[in-house]
Amino acid sequence: MPKVGMEAERRRSLIDATVDAIHERGYSDVTMAQIAKRAGVSGGLVHHYFGSKDQLLAATMRHLLTELGRAIRENREKAETPRERISAIIAGNFAVDQFQPAVIAAWLAFYVQSRTTDSNSRLLNIYAARLASNLTHNLRAFMPQDEARRIAEGTASMIDGVWIRQALRDGKPNRSAAIALVEDYVETQIAVHLGRNTKN
């Protein structure tokens, strides 16, 4: 009889191995057999759990999105004001366990695969819609709805852009600098709108 929790443990080890293999070889070149070897399981077991490489990638994406959502929620729970919640959302998107070279490489693969894989595209669209909605809700404390939505889209684009730029660089990601870059954009936009209200 398999030990209780063994399947979940094996799935998690395969997801971790997928992230590392994509970072090392790139999604196109990595094989299920290589991922299985890295995780210390048989190739047949990978196919049993996930069926195909695309399904394994989708499972990896769902896992990372879940972890990302948890990081953002934990940050938001400590925030008391709309501005603090915006900062919590930004910081959560650059969580320590997410903004790492291997995970960044995996996210880049997700974006590329989402162009041709409907399930991956839906997952990313859900993530993007939730991010924009949360930012818009809190930005409304400083500006009208239409402007809040526009600045939310700009903030989300900044977050995605910083991730993509980091994927193209060598070296350890600078989390503090990444957060500061996005914060500077948000702070500037809020100041502009508050300044308009003061003049009016």
Side-chain angles (χ1 to χ4, degrees), residues 17-189:
T18 301
V19 170
D20 291 337
I22 289 172
H23 180 229
E24 183 180 306
R25 296 175 177 270
Y27 180 73
S28 296
D29 292 336
V30 74
T31 66
M32 295 280 272
Q34 290 165 346
I35 292 170
K37 184 177 180 181
R38 185 180 286 271
V41 301
S42 70
L45 197 62
V46 186
H47 285 282
H48 171 71
Y49 286 145
F50 298 104
S52 69
K53 191 168 78 167
D54 282 347
Q55 289 174 323
L56 176 54
L57 183 68
T60 302
M61 187 191 298
R62 282 193 296 272
H63 170 75
L64 291 179
L65 281 168
T66 298
E67 292 296 305
L68 179 63
R70 182 179 295 116
I72 293 171
R73 281 194 306 275
E74 288 176 355
N75 279 9
R76 276 209 323 251
E77 286 170 2
K78 301 171 189 173
E80 297 180 357
T81 66
R83 185 63 184 89
E84 288 176 355
R85 284 191 286 275
I86 293 168
S87 290
I89 292 167
I90 293 169
N93 274 276
F94 295 99
V96 173
D97 60 345
Q98 289 266 333
F99 201 54
Q100 296 292 331
V103 180
I104 291 169
W107 273 106
L108 193 59
F110 298 155
Y111 276 97
V112 172
Q113 287 301 111
S114 72
R115 299 294 300 164
T116 56
T117 307
D118 288 343
S119 60
N120 291 359
S121 180
R122 281 194 297 273
L123 286 171
L124 285 177
N125 285 335
I126 290 169
Y127 153 73
R130 186 175 297 136
L131 175 60
S133 175
N134 287 333
L135 287 168
T136 300
H137 175 75
N138 289 290
L139 284 164
R140 285 179 60 194
F142 308 99
M143 60 192 75
Q145 172 76 14
D146 288 347
E147 284 297 295
R149 188 180 297 113
R150 184 177 69 81
I151 303 308
E153 287 294 337
T155 305
S157 297
M158 286 279 293
I159 291 169
D160 288 343
V162 170
W163 273 81
I164 291 170
R165 285 175 68 88
Q166 184 59 57
L168 303 176
R169 292 177 179 159
D170 294 324
K172 185 177 179 181
N174 187 331
R175 179 174 180 265
S176 297
I179 292 171
L181 193 64
V182 182
E183 284 282 0
D184 182 62
Y185 169 78
V186 171
E187 193 62 29
T188 299
Q189 295 300 321

